[in-house]
Amino acid sequence: MLFAVFTTESVNGQNAELDAKVQSPSAVLMEASTGQVIYERDADTKRSPASITKIMTLILIFDELKSGNLKLDDEVTTSAYAKSMGGSQVFLEEGEVQTVETMIKCIVVASANDASVAMAEKICGSEEAFVERMNARAKELGMTETHFCDCCGLTSDEQHYTSARDVALMSRELITKYPEIYQYTKIWMEDITHVTQKGSTPFTLSSTNKLLKQYEYTTGLKTGSTSVAKYCFSATAHKDGIDLIAVVMAAPDHKVRFADAKTLLTYGFSVCSIYHDANTDTLPKLKVKGGVEDTVSLRYEKEFRYLDLNGQDMTGVTKKWELTETVPAPALEGEKAGEAVYYLGEQKLGSVDILYAQTVEQAGYGDCIKKVFLKCTLVNDVTPSF
């Protein structure tokens, strides 16, 4: 996974100012839609992540929901092992049954270790097998400084580690691929019901994310703390169409982690603006030489986004198609036909691939005879007018 890095030295020279304000040893500020890093401090040092480990656990849960292997109303039974988890928990009893959605709320809102393990066992049969999948998913995301030993971050094992940059990467994956996570990360308090052999009792989930009440643009995401990790936080916020991710690790106390995240987010919104082209305009058809059809349709690979950090006037952005007039057959659907390139004056901002929207095969001898016949028919099939 590729992303650009912009230190605050490149945006109004405020790097020193942020360094003075941010107290956490490791920090990253990332814009979510582009993946660009706006600020970083000691971003690649391996650190214990505590409960922000659960961001990866949630990614795997939502992967299963997307694939159809799991449904929100599926039932999850708590094992004796899941019940035995210490630390943050919602006090699930052995044999207690809750829905997947309730378990998600317990993980997101209350940072429940017992619910995390119960979900790991539901998906993979064991926490150990689930952790293997967590590490494989981390590798897919390009998280080069990460290794998980459990699904909740409770461990003090030195082999359970990640970095501020890697936390930003997995946070981005969760919120951009599964924006429905915000239905849960914005919850401040909500009641669930424990139904066990002892009867039915209500239990109040209370968010560990105090920034929900301290910063109006907050949308999530996950806190974590242990004696080894100290205080960690991956904070997400949305303002004026921009989504930011602020990661702080190893903060000395809970007040510093929230203050640092707020400082980073406030700064980010003060310098960021997004140029967005949904690429819904109609592309021309290209002539195909030697094809069974004379032309081929095109489509954009994706939308275009550019993050400006320097206060430029983005109304002057222009888009240029770089295409050839004729292409040789075969033209295969999904292959690159050219590019749409974006400029601000002489500055190239970026590009989006233009792809073939259909397949046009190479014409054989019979296809050529058929084409000639059809052309002759069209020429001769003229009704005289009087």
Side-chain angles (χ1 to χ4, degrees):
M1 177 176 292
L2 300 177
F3 52 91
V5 177
F6 291 80
T7 68
T8 47
E9 288 177 329
S10 67
V11 279
N12 304 324
Q14 295 184 4
N15 189 58
E17 181 182 341
L18 272 182
D19 280 341
K21 290 181 178 179
V22 175
Q23 299 179 54
S24 300
S26 289
V28 163
L29 177 63
M30 175 185 283
E31 194 281 316
S33 68
T34 60
Q36 289 186 6
V37 174
I38 303 163
Y39 173 84
E40 64 176 78
R41 169 193 284 174
D42 203 20
D44 298 309
T45 294
K46 295 174 182 178
R47 297 188 183 276
S48 176
S51 282
I52 54 177
T53 297
K54 297 183 177 82
I55 296 170
M56 182 58 76
T57 297
L58 290 165
I59 289 173
L60 295 190
I61 292 172
F62 279 89
D63 283 347
E64 290 295 293
L65 289 168
K66 181 181 180 181
S67 71
N69 294 330
L70 201 64
K71 294 181 175 58
L72 288 174
D73 58 0
D74 283 352
E75 293 184 337
V76 183
T77 303
T78 303
S79 68
Y81 175 64
K83 172 188 167 9
S84 72
M85 294 298 108
S88 300
Q89 57 186 307
V90 290
F91 303 100
L92 296 168
E93 292 291 334
E94 181 181 356
E96 181 177 344
V97 177
Q98 296 286 357
T99 65
V100 167
E101 183 165 40
T102 297
M103 290 295 197
I104 290 173
K105 291 177 181 178
C106 292
I107 296 168
V108 173
V109 181
S111 194
N113 297 322
D114 45 1
S116 298
V117 174
M119 283 303 305
E121 293 174 334
K122 171 72 173 178
I123 292 170
C124 289
S126 70
E127 183 184 19
E128 183 179 6
F130 188 83
V131 170
E132 288 182 8
R133 191 182 294 187
M134 291 171 68
N135 286 317
R137 194 72 160 84
K139 187 175 181 180
E140 289 175 9
L141 292 176
M143 296 169 59
T144 58
E145 307 300 328
T146 296
H147 183 265
F148 298 114
C149 293
D150 70 14
C151 67
C152 56
L154 186 61
T155 182
S156 58
D157 193 322
E158 291 182 357
Q159 293 306 306
H160 186 90
Y161 55 80
T162 188
S163 68
R165 193 187 311 279
D166 283 0
V167 172
L169 286 174
M170 68 174 175
S171 299
R172 182 189 182 218
E173 175 75 357
L174 181 58
I175 67 173
T176 57
K177 191 169 185 178
Y178 303 115
E180 58 267 34
I181 189 66
Y182 291 135
Q183 299 173 25
Y184 309 104
T185 58
K186 292 180 182 180
I187 295 173
W188 178 244
M189 291 184 117
E190 185 168 317
D191 286 344
I192 65 168
T193 302
H194 287 299
V195 180
T196 66
Q197 293 179 347
K198 300 176 184 177
S200 178
T201 56
F203 183 86
T204 300
L205 304 177
S206 180
S207 180
T208 60
N209 183 1
K210 306 311 176 187
L211 211 62
L212 286 168
K213 292 295 185 180
Q214 298 173 9
Y215 188 61
E216 61 181 314
Y217 306 113
T218 303
T219 55
L221 182 63
K222 192 72 200 71
T223 62
S225 63
T226 63
S227 58
V228 175
K230 298 184 180 178
Y231 292 85
C232 305
F233 189 22
S234 179
T236 58
H238 177 86
K239 181 184 179 185
D240 298 332
I242 296 173
D243 288 285
L244 296 179
I245 301 164
V247 178
V248 295
M249 299 189 73
D253 59 55
H254 69 281
K255 290 183 179 179
V256 168
R257 73 174 169 190
F258 293 127
D260 282 353
K262 184 177 179 180
T263 295
L264 290 168
L265 294 169
T266 300
Y267 170 77
F269 287 127
S270 74
V271 298
C272 288
S273 65
I274 293 281
Y275 174 81
H276 175 223
D277 183 1
N279 282 329
T280 56
D281 53 312
T282 302
L283 287 163
K285 289 187 176 183
L286 296 185
K287 294 179 182 179
V288 181
K289 181 179 180 180
V292 295
E293 296 180 40
D294 294 330
T295 61
V296 61
S297 299
L298 304 175
R299 65 176 176 85
Y300 292 103
E301 181 187 25
K302 59 184 178 180
E303 62 183 15
F304 177 76
R305 286 180 176 266
Y306 176 79
L307 178 65
D308 176 58
L309 303 174
N310 299 303
Q312 300 179 95
D313 180 5
M314 306 305 291
T315 58
V317 173
T318 58
K319 176 168 66 175
K320 178 183 177 182
W321 294 329
E322 294 189 351
L323 298 165
T324 58
E325 290 186 7
T326 304
V327 297
L332 303 179
E333 182 178 358
E335 286 197 350
K336 182 177 177 179
E339 289 182 329
V341 184
Y342 294 82
Y343 295 92
L344 183 59
E346 298 298 318
Q347 178 190 2
K348 181 179 176 180
L349 303 181
S351 63
V352 171
D353 284 349
I354 296 174
L355 311 178
Y356 296 118
Q358 63 182 119
T359 294
V360 176
E361 298 288 358
Q362 188 172 9
Y365 178 77
D367 296 310
C368 294
I369 296 298
K370 184 178 179 181
K371 276 188 176 184
V372 172
F373 176 77
L374 289 173
K375 285 181 180 179
C376 290
T377 302
L378 289 172
V379 169
N380 295 325
D381 188 17
V382 178
T383 303
S385 59
F386 299 93

